[in-house]
Amino acid sequence: MLNTLITHELRTIVLSPKFSLTFAVTSLLMLLSVAVGIAQYHDAVRQYETTTALTQQEMREARGWMSLNNTVLRAPDPMQIFVAGVNDDIGRISAVNSFRGIKLTHSTYSDDPVYAVFRFIDMAFIVSVVFSLLALLFTYDAVNGEAERGTLQLIFSNAVPRARYILGKFIGAWLGLIVPLCIPFMLSALLLIVWSVPMSPDHWLRLLTLYGTSILYVTVFIAAGILLSTATKRSSTSFLYSLVSWVCLVFIVPRAGATIAGQIVVIPTVAEVEAERDAFAKDRWARYEETLQTTWRSRNAPIESMTREDREAYREQHMWEWMEEDDRNRKQVQKDIDAFALSANEQQRNRKAEQERLAFALSRFSPASAYHLAAVNLAGTDITLKARYEDALNIYRPLFTAYKDKKQKESGGMGGIRIEVNTDTGVKIDTGREKGVLDISDMPRFEQPQRSFRDAAVPAMIDIGLLGFFSFAAFAGAFVRFLRYDVR
Amino acid sequence: MEQQPLLEANGLTKRYEDGALAVNNVSFSVRPGEIYAMLGGNGAGKTTTINLFLNFLEPTSGEARIAGIASHADPLAAKKHVAFVSENVMLYTNFTAVQNLAYFVRLGGRTGYTTEDYRRVLLRVGLQEEAHHKKLKGFSKGMRQKCGIAIAILKDAPAILLDEPTSGLDPKSGYEFMQLLGSLRDEGKAILMSTHDIFRAKESADTIGIMRQGNLVMQQSRAALSGEDLERLYMEHMAGVTE
Amino acid sequence: MVRLIIEKELRDIFTSSKFLVTFGICSVLIILSFLIGARNHQVATAQYEASKRANDLQYEGVTDWTRVQEYKIFLPPQPLATLVNGVANDIGRTIEVRGRGELRSQDSRYGDDPIFALFRFLDLEFIFSIVLTLFAILFGYDLINGEKERGTLRLTFSNAIPRTGYIIAKFIGAFLALAVPLLVPILAGILILPAFGITLAGDDWLKLALIIGAGIITVGAFLALALFVSASTERSSTSFLVLLSLWIVMVMIVPRLSVVAADQIVTVPSVDEINSQKSRFMSQIWNEDRGRMNSYTPPKSQNVQEVMAGFNKFMQELADAREKKFNELSARLNEERTNRQAEQQMLAMLVSGVSPSALFTLAAGEINGTSLRMERAFLEQAKEYQRQYAAFMKEKTGMNTGGFSFVVRMVTDDDAAPPKPINIRELPQFAFTPLSAASGLGAYTGYTGVLAVYLLLFFAGAYRSFQRYDVR
């Protein structure tokens, strides 16, 4: 009997003329978004490679080890094709050098704000907006529509248990909507292969999980549609309610959650934090210079009474040692500043994490947010993307500067541009090395931070669990309502 | 003295785009103080004829005239002289009976009625007073038909078109409805009514026309018809269609 | 007659549960957007002030203007930018100004706080372009075929009702019914603003009024579209599905696809490419100057100050020459990119013009000054400020700081009085002049004009369809 019910429901949905049309259009849409995403991914890879190559060349042609500056780029990841997340909002590039902390700049949207006006369309967006609506549209009158047509009465004049009927409804609708959804999913995966997107097994696993999450998300709306159709007498009422709840859940709650969280937990801007750091740095450098002055004064004290020749000899003898000492001090200052910046950054991040927790808590009421959060986590384009890169860069930067210093020392001399001011000979400039290229083949490379599937899936688990809970709750609600439904 | 007919069909023909001939060269007329009953089974062309009078459809040839005005030539002028009650009167379910009345009567071009007028007419058509200010949501079909006829009365047009007005009504309501129609006839209205209820037609109509597959196969005054005739005719002309 | 139908239409809608629900959502949303906008503006202003203060604070106790290597300027928050975000959250809010060199804005709101980028804000533009357009469809999808399904259309047209009057009345009635849930909370929202200490200047009022005006025309266009489809279909369930598909295409897909399409058609050189070209050129001209520096001979003088002055002059001249060369290249590259970008943007706007809601987004951004012009305006004003800053620094230190010059500090053992700290406030202050309503009026009128044309076209379509509509 359950079979009959399911088959009937399936047939009702799939054979309706609207069904094939809407599914064809939405599937095309999804394929289009994936195709565009792949094209953009390839563009991004090309750009990444060109810029990296240019940076390498620039480094080789640098004036000397002292002026060696690296530029690190975020490498594009195939998962951004499906879920753009914050990928286009956060910076793509950071300079890595000894005198400035790392900072990701040049986001896609700030470079080309025209994209920001309307933003991009990705698969996650289509699933979360269009497919949820479709699910509601094909289920909002599942039960009360039958009551209106009078067929419900006829059905229950037979010995049909209610529980089985509603279960049949749900399974039939689920099969009818989910199976067609799998078609664009599979075709999208095919596109990846055809257009040779480098997908690792890890990527495939993520994509598969993403597909699974999408199906779960649509399930929530199928169950919600059935719930609404059992909770109301007339299909026009359930239609209105389903539309309104769709607007609220998909558009309003997620935005309101984040916005309200932003009101409650206020975070200082990056500019403010940087200004604090700069103030600290200025102060430290000023103090360094002061001590430098007194040190030099004390260094010069013993030679006051010497003859000019002795003075020169004394200086010649101690110069290297003094400069080393100064260099050590200078490095200490830089270290202090970096430490300060790190701790300030840490504080900023903690406050942010608080804000984010609140925003998530508020917006997770909506399955659309839960889905979106799970999707960005699985794709690695979540809000921790920036922090992950900053951490990796902060690990890389000391490696790079240490390498630079080592090379500098090996090449001898202080390097860079030296300007000598001598009361006897005036100003003399030495710009150092003039020809040849630097051999940077043994330079430490920046390792793009990789997040294993496990690490990505763990934060996504909460949201996937929530989606499961939502679908279960909605279906349970529909079930309970229907047991008491007036079938007349 | 012979009065001018208020409703008049002259060689009225309607052929749909798919070629089906719905009304074929039908001619009849209804004078003031006359009830004309169009009898026929489903698909005989009764409703199409009424639709042609109301210019809901354009005639393929011939014309339907209301108060001498061809309704396809000047529908707005023609419709001023006619009130219409459909088979299933549908009104705004979120309005009360009086609100519906007020709206449709004013749409019909009549203003200046008071609440008392609405009350009086609703009582005349047999709608209990407590229903007057209720929303139409819970109204039965009979109650809605009463509202429909009330609207037609208040519009006070010389001609009234009724499309199967008594179908689906219980016998008592149907009887009351026909009584009301009789009193309207006595006021001098020209009434064109389509129906497949042969006995009602026999009771109250002055002239009976029988339609079959778009043709007006017979037309006779009630006086000229005996009960047996009518039954025989009905069997001949109508039963075949419904089989 | 028309008035009667309008009255009926209003009563019909006002008593429906549809109206109650939409009115409720609209009120909550609009008032929430005003509340949030107001709070947001307060927070943003506080942040702006804090950033400025912290920036000034770092120069506390500095005794020498030459130590002021750069000065950060900030984009102040605009009161209306929180109601119509535009690209205000996507573009950089901070610019580091040096005496010379290129300026670049950084620290966008979304870049700083990706959480908002993930969910985006709840602003008036979103409410109009997504929620209200959907409500317009909800109000309009069954205007004609719904009456037919209810059976009332037949009764109505058994009377002497001209179709023209009827459809006009239908549209006006539904439009008025839709305008109420819109204007009431907006008015309430506007009244809230002063409570948050947000005062709108005259120009802001004009902007707000024009934004709301464009929003109403947009809603009208969608309503006319709904009327059109409703008058072209027999069943309201069909018209709803058609309209919903059109809505998704117009609101979600066309705008986004337009950008992608424009991107595929017009190739804009990437920032990376240009930057790398620039930095290669820079190191090339550096290398050229290196020889000159190595062969520099100081003026023959025993006076330290004189020697230093001569040296600085020499370095300044080199730097100026380099800057000139660099600027030429940079201007050329930037112009090329800007032109291409403009081309791309034009194309994107053109394609997105297919969608009324995209047109609204563009019109609102233009009049509000949060369109793509905002970043350009910020950069241009920052450039102007850079000139003031350079002039000021030159006066204070005798040279153009920043860029590639050297500061050589002389320390003498004289026990002179300790140097006095500088007052950073002496620096010319950057004051951002927001884009005026007048500056965006041209583009606004264009976009709104097209919107109005859409409205008329859709209505004309509805009119034509209804003339032939089978009212049986």
Side-chain angles (χ1 to χ4, degrees):
Chain A
M1 180 194 298
L2 189 62
N3 251 336
T4 323
L5 287 167
I6 293 173
T7 330
H8 170 75
E9 189 61 26
L10 245 175
R11 194 171 295 149
T12 322
I13 290 182
V14 177
L15 292 187
S16 83
K18 290 158 196 164
F19 179 79
S20 37
L21 184 76
T22 36
F23 253 102
V25 170
T26 43
S27 300
L28 263 179
L29 202 69
M30 186 181 286
L31 287 180
L32 194 67
S33 90
V34 172
V36 168
I38 292 176
Q40 273 169 346
Y41 167 74
H42 281 312
D43 274 353
V45 170
R46 208 170 309 124
Q47 194 181 344
Y48 168 76
E49 278 166 359
T50 330
T51 314
T52 315
L54 283 170
T55 311
Q56 298 284 326
Q57 194 178 343
E58 245 173 71
M59 280 197 285
R60 276 194 293 274
E61 290 166 1
R63 284 189 290 279
W65 291 105
M66 187 74 162
S67 46
L68 190 69
N69 296 324
N70 199 351
T71 305
V72 165
L73 282 93
R74 257 193 315 122
D77 186 272
M79 286 307 284
Q80 76 192 44
I81 295 168
F82 295 93
V83 191
V86 299
N87 187 45
D88 298 315
D89 292 285
I90 64 174
R92 295 177 293 118
I93 299 175
S94 174
V96 176
N97 50 45
S98 44
F99 48 89
R100 263 211 154 167
I102 55 104
K103 178 173 185 177
L104 286 165
T105 56
H106 289 290
S107 74
T108 309
Y109 283 151
S110 68
D111 279 350
D112 294 298
V114 64
Y115 298 126
V117 177
F118 299 121
R119 319 207 104 201
F120 286 117
I121 184 164
D122 56 8
M123 193 202 80
F125 172 83
I126 292 174
V127 169
S128 88
V129 174
V130 183
F131 280 89
S132 58
L133 186 61
L134 273 191
L136 280 179
L137 279 185
F138 283 97
T139 52
Y140 77 91
D141 61 349
V143 173
N144 56 14
E146 292 234 32
E148 280 176 341
R149 283 192 300 261
T151 44
L152 201 61
Q153 219 170 355
L154 190 61
I155 290 168
F156 283 101
S157 66
N158 301 307
V160 178
R162 289 192 172 206
R164 203 167 292 177
Y165 176 79
I166 191 81
L167 197 66
K169 273 264 165 204
F170 177 73
I171 296 177
W174 193 83
L175 287 176
L177 289 167
I178 296 298
V179 172
L181 181 64
C182 293
I183 296 169
F185 280 171
M186 282 191 290
L187 289 176
S188 305
L190 206 65
L191 282 185
L192 291 179
I193 297 168
V194 172
W195 275 319
S196 54
V197 176
M199 295 279 284
S200 65
D202 190 71
H203 280 123
W204 284 114
L205 202 57
R206 281 161 197 253
L207 188 60
L208 218 61
T209 320
L210 180 62
Y211 283 169
T213 314
S214 306
I215 288 172
L216 191 58
Y217 171 71
V218 177
T219 308
V220 175
F221 281 88
I222 294 173
I226 295 179
L227 171 64
L228 281 170
S229 83
T230 53
T232 50
K233 278 259 83 159
R234 294 160 51 84
S235 63
S236 59
T237 319
S238 61
F239 168 72
L240 181 67
Y241 287 153
S242 59
L243 207 61
V244 164
S245 45
W246 176 76
V247 172
C248 288
L249 294 180
V250 174
F251 289 112
I252 297 169
V253 174
R255 281 165 191 246
T259 315
I260 291 170
Q263 311 292 316
I264 297 173
V265 185
V266 176
I267 300 180
T269 60
V270 170
E272 196 180 333
V273 175
E274 276 177 7
E276 270 167 29
R277 184 200 62 203
D278 290 349
F280 179 81
K282 282 223 169 64
D283 185 52
R284 279 303 271 118
W285 284 119
R287 269 195 289 149
Y288 164 75
E289 271 178 42
E290 257 168 47
T291 40
L292 202 62
Q293 281 168 27
T294 47
T295 333
W296 276 96
R297 230 170 277 168
S298 63
R299 279 173 190 159
N300 280 334
I303 56 173
E304 293 274 292
S305 51
M306 292 186 188
T307 61
R308 195 170 157 175
E309 284 76 30
D310 286 349
R311 230 187 276 174
E312 285 292 318
Y314 184 83
R315 269 196 189 138
E316 203 62 18
Q317 189 190 338
H318 289 93
M319 196 49 138
W320 191 247
E321 168 196 328
W322 287 345
M323 280 174 91
E324 292 252 282
E325 192 189 337
D326 290 350
D327 196 41
R328 260 199 312 280
N329 287 335
R330 200 161 41 233
K331 285 207 171 107
Q332 187 55 45
V333 172
Q334 193 60 53
K335 243 187 207 156
D336 290 351
I337 293 170
D338 288 349
F340 179 86
L342 270 181
S343 86
N345 216 0
E346 190 66 36
Q347 269 178 31
Q348 169 88 342
R349 258 198 220 171
N350 287 341
R351 268 180 287 186
K352 243 184 204 170
E354 196 185 327
Q355 187 187 53
E356 282 155 9
R357 263 200 305 277
L358 187 65
F360 290 161
L362 287 174
S363 55
R364 267 184 181 136
F365 281 114
S366 143
S369 306
Y371 171 68
H372 204 62
L373 289 174
V376 289
N377 268 315
L378 287 171
T381 49
D382 56 314
I383 47 171
T384 62
L385 179 63
K386 192 178 170 192
R388 285 206 301 277
Y389 265 89
E390 282 172 353
D391 289 344
L393 283 163
N394 275 325
I395 292 171
Y396 175 65
R397 186 170 162 237
L399 292 180
F400 174 75
T401 43
Y403 168 78
K404 197 170 113 173
D405 288 345
K406 193 184 95 199
K407 281 292 184 183
Q408 176 61 43
K409 220 166 255 167
E410 279 171 14
S411 70
M414 291 299 284
I417 293 178
R418 205 159 86 210
I419 300 163
E420 225 178 272
V421 185
N422 192 309
T423 36
D424 300 329
T425 57
V427 188
K428 198 172 171 313
I429 311 173
D430 179 11
T431 56
R433 186 182 79 90
E434 260 197 67
K435 53 205 165 291
V437 290
L438 300 179
D439 176 21
I440 54 164
S441 54
D442 55 346
M443 187 182 80
R445 304 283 143 150
F446 176 68
E447 289 289 329
Q448 299 280 338
Q450 297 291 343
R451 215 159 53 139
S452 69
F453 172 70
R454 241 182 92 87
D455 291 342
V458 166
M461 246 24 240
I462 310 166
D463 294 299
I464 296 176
L466 260 178
L467 287 176
F469 169 74
F470 284 140
S471 14
F472 177 76
F475 180 69
F479 192 84
V480 171
R481 294 282 323 194
F482 187 68
L483 292 185
R484 287 176 296 159
Y485 195 80
D486 183 3
V487 296
R488 280 174 303 155
Chain B
M1 130 198 163
E2 194 72 336
Q3 280 175 296
Q4 279 299 308
L6 265 168
L7 295 167
E8 197 179 4
N10 290 328
L12 199 57
T13 304
K14 176 66 189 177
R15 188 184 285 280
Y16 285 117
E17 272 154 36
D18 59 7
L21 194 59
V23 175
N24 187 17
N25 197 19
V26 166
S27 300
F28 63 85
S29 61
V30 188
R31 280 163 223 290
E34 179 185 0
I35 296 181
Y36 187 105
M38 267 192 295
L39 270 172
N42 294 330
K46 299 175 309 230
T47 304
T48 305
T49 308
I50 288 180
N51 282 338
L52 287 165
F53 269 101
L54 289 169
N55 194 43
F56 290 164
L57 293 171
E58 292 260 331
T60 311
S61 67
E63 55 181 18
R65 287 176 170 275
I66 301 170
I69 306 161
S71 60
H72 68 274
D74 191 354
L76 294 187
K79 284 194 246 183
K80 281 203 176 99
H81 306 286
V82 70
F84 169 64
V85 180
S86 70
E87 174 181 2
N88 190 2
V89 174
M90 298 302 281
L91 299 168
Y92 294 103
T93 49
N94 49 346
F95 290 0
T96 65
V98 170
Q99 282 171 343
N100 268 303
L101 243 61
Y103 172 62
F104 280 106
V105 168
R106 279 155 74 197
L107 265 192
R110 301 283 161 184
T111 49
Y113 283 122
T114 62
T115 340
E116 178 53 31
D117 295 325
Y118 295 135
R119 197 181 78 92
R120 193 172 38 76
V121 173
L122 282 173
L123 286 175
R124 179 180 170 196
V125 299
L127 193 71
Q128 275 92 14
E129 184 139 22
E130 59 263 31
H132 292 189
H133 291 282
K134 276 210 180 107
K135 286 197 173 164
L136 248 76
K137 212 164 258 170
F139 275 30
S140 68
K141 185 174 175 201
M143 287 159 93
R144 278 186 279 124
Q145 294 303 100
K146 283 171 184 165
C147 292
I149 194 81
I151 290 170
I153 292 171
L154 283 163
K155 190 178 173 184
D156 197 22
I160 302 176
L161 298 172
L162 300 116
D163 191 6
E164 307 272 10
T166 55
S167 78
L169 292 188
D170 62 75
K172 181 170 171 283
S173 303
Y175 173 76
E176 284 169 4
F177 192 86
M178 294 317 287
Q179 290 295 309
L180 194 63
L181 226 51
S183 71
L184 285 172
R185 182 226 349 241
D186 298 342
E187 284 170 21
K189 308 281 187 210
I191 298 170
L192 171 65
M193 175 176 81
S194 82
T195 182
H196 50 233
D197 188 335
I198 190 164
F199 304 103
R200 288 262 144 70
K202 203 179 92 185
E203 271 166 36
S204 52
D206 301 297
T207 314
I208 292 171
I210 295 184
M211 288 193 78
R212 185 183 174 182
Q213 290 178 326
N215 295 299
L216 188 62
V217 290
M218 199 216 77
Q219 177 175 302
Q220 210 121 64
S221 72
R222 185 172 54 153
L225 276 173
S226 67
E228 292 90 284
D229 284 345
L230 197 59
E231 247 165 280
R232 185 179 46 79
L233 282 168
Y234 182 80
M235 293 309 285
E236 267 174 24
H237 296 295
M238 295 173 69
V241 181
T242 45
E243 255 166 27
Chain C
M1 165 87 53
V2 170
R3 236 191 84 196
L4 177 66
I5 300 173
I6 292 174
E7 274 171 26
K8 174 252 141 190
E9 197 62 24
L10 284 177
R11 191 204 297 267
D12 194 8
I13 293 178
F14 285 159
T15 52
S16 66
S17 56
K18 183 161 78 179
F19 177 79
L20 274 178
V21 174
T22 45
F23 184 64
I25 294 186
C26 262
S27 307
V28 170
L29 266 188
I30 291 177
I31 291 182
L32 200 66
S33 85
F34 270 91
L35 275 175
I36 288 173
R39 264 291 285 163
N40 231 337
H41 181 65
Q42 280 184 326
V43 171
T45 311
Q47 282 182 332
Y48 165 75
E49 296 291 345
S51 303
K52 255 175 75 163
R53 233 183 352 262
N55 189 44
D56 283 352
L57 212 60
Q58 52 174 300
Y59 302 102
E60 193 108 297
V62 171
T63 53
D64 187 349
W65 280 104
T66 54
R67 280 189 190 274
V68 182
Q69 291 283 327
E70 83 278 313
Y71 190 66
K72 273 186 184 162
I73 57 172
F74 303 94
L75 183 64
Q78 311 292 312
L80 281 184
T82 54
L83 287 180
V84 177
N85 293 162
V87 295
N89 294 317
D90 293 288
I91 62 171
R93 293 172 294 170
T94 312
I95 294 180
E96 220 175 74
V97 178
R98 289 160 181 268
R100 60 174 103 226
E102 278 203 294
L103 297 177
R104 216 177 63 73
S105 64
Q106 51 184 1
D107 298 338
S108 73
R109 180 95 198 254
Y110 282 150
D112 280 2
D113 300 318
I115 175 103
F116 297 121
L118 207 55
F119 294 114
R120 312 212 85 190
F121 289 103
L122 190 69
D123 66 344
L124 210 56
E125 189 236 305
F126 159 77
I127 294 174
F128 267 109
S129 65
I130 294 190
V131 183
L132 290 177
T133 52
L134 187 65
F135 285 171
I137 281 172
L138 197 59
F139 273 60
Y141 78 98
D142 62 348
L143 277 179
I144 301 297
N145 53 18
E147 292 259 359
K148 183 171 175 167
E149 282 174 338
R150 289 201 270 179
T152 44
L153 200 60
R154 215 171 133 77
L155 186 57
T156 304
F157 279 96
S158 72
N159 295 303
I161 307 289
R163 293 193 175 205
T164 310
Y166 185 76
I167 194 145
I168 290 175
K170 270 279 182 187
F171 180 72
I172 295 177
F175 188 69
L176 288 179
L178 194 55
V180 172
L182 219 151
L183 288 178
V184 169
I186 285 181
L187 281 177
I190 290 173
L191 293 178
I192 290 174
L193 289 182
F196 281 84
I198 292 171
T199 43
L200 296 181
D203 209 37
D204 289 334
W205 283 115
L206 182 65
K207 285 178 182 177
L208 190 59
L210 286 172
I211 290 166
I212 294 168
I216 289 175
I217 296 177
T218 312
V219 170
F222 272 91
L223 191 68
L225 175 69
L227 186 71
F228 182 18
V229 176
S230 178
S232 313
T233 48
E234 291 287 301
R235 293 163 51 82
S236 61
S237 59
T238 314
S239 64
F240 186 76
L241 205 71
V242 170
L243 281 166
L244 207 61
S245 313
L246 282 175
W247 179 79
I248 290 181
V249 170
M250 282 177 170
V251 173
M252 310 274 154
I253 290 155
V254 167
R256 289 168 166 81
L257 270 190
S258 70
V259 178
V260 172
D263 184 41
Q264 299 294 318
I265 296 167
V266 182
T267 347
V268 177
S270 78
V271 183
D272 300 359
E273 257 169 68
I274 286 182
N275 282 348
S276 122
Q277 257 175 297
K278 281 180 192 167
S279 76
R280 285 170 68 81
F281 183 71
M282 201 60 195
S283 64
Q284 184 198 326
I285 50 181
W286 243 106
N287 280 343
E288 284 166 15
D289 275 357
R290 188 185 283 158
R292 292 195 194 102
M293 288 184 204
N294 282 348
S295 55
Y296 171 68
T297 40
K300 291 270 168 273
S301 166
Q302 286 299 308
N303 185 326
V304 181
Q305 298 298 340
E306 240 170 71
V307 172
M308 280 316 300
F311 168 71
N312 266 338
K313 188 160 167 284
F314 167 73
M315 290 304 275
Q316 283 281 306
E317 275 165 7
L318 282 187
D320 286 343
R322 263 198 323 272
E323 194 187 10
K324 198 162 161 262
K325 275 190 218 162
F326 179 75
N327 282 351
E328 274 165 22
L329 175 93
S330 153
R332 211 188 61 229
L333 290 177
N334 287 350
E335 196 188 320
E336 201 182 298
R337 183 171 144 83
T338 317
N339 286 347
R340 284 304 193 78
Q341 243 179 343
E343 231 174 279
Q344 191 191 44
Q345 286 167 8
M346 272 300 281
L347 195 67
M349 313 273 133
L350 216 64
V351 178
S352 69
V354 177
S355 151
S357 78
L359 282 171
F360 169 71
T361 304
L362 295 172
E366 284 294 343
I367 197 71
N368 195 28
T370 47
S371 64
L372 293 171
R373 287 185 303 131
M374 188 181 191
E375 193 187 31
R376 259 173 274 149
F378 185 32
L379 274 178
E380 264 158 35
Q381 293 186 24
K383 254 181 219 154
E384 177 53 40
Y385 175 77
Q386 188 180 32
R387 277 188 281 277
Q388 291 172 25
Y389 173 86
F392 175 85
M393 285 311 244
K394 184 133 195 174
E395 191 195 309
K396 282 287 181 192
T397 64
M399 57 185 170
N400 194 355
T401 56
F404 294 84
S405 65
F406 293 88
V407 179
V408 179
R409 258 175 225 104
M410 306 292 294
V411 179
T412 53
D413 288 348
D414 303 342
D415 285 328
K420 270 198 285 189
I422 58 162
N423 177 11
I424 195 71
R425 288 268 163 196
E426 279 179 45
L427 262 176
Q429 290 298 304
F430 175 70
F432 180 70
T433 322
L435 291 166
S436 67
S439 71
L441 204 59
Y444 171 85
T445 320
Y447 291 130
T448 322
V450 179
L451 268 175
V453 169
Y454 273 124
L455 198 162
L456 289 177
L457 273 181
F458 290 148
F459 185 75
Y463 177 82
R464 246 178 76 86
S465 289
F466 190 59
Q467 290 302 324
R468 291 171 303 176
Y469 196 73
D470 185 358
V471 296
R472 282 179 299 159

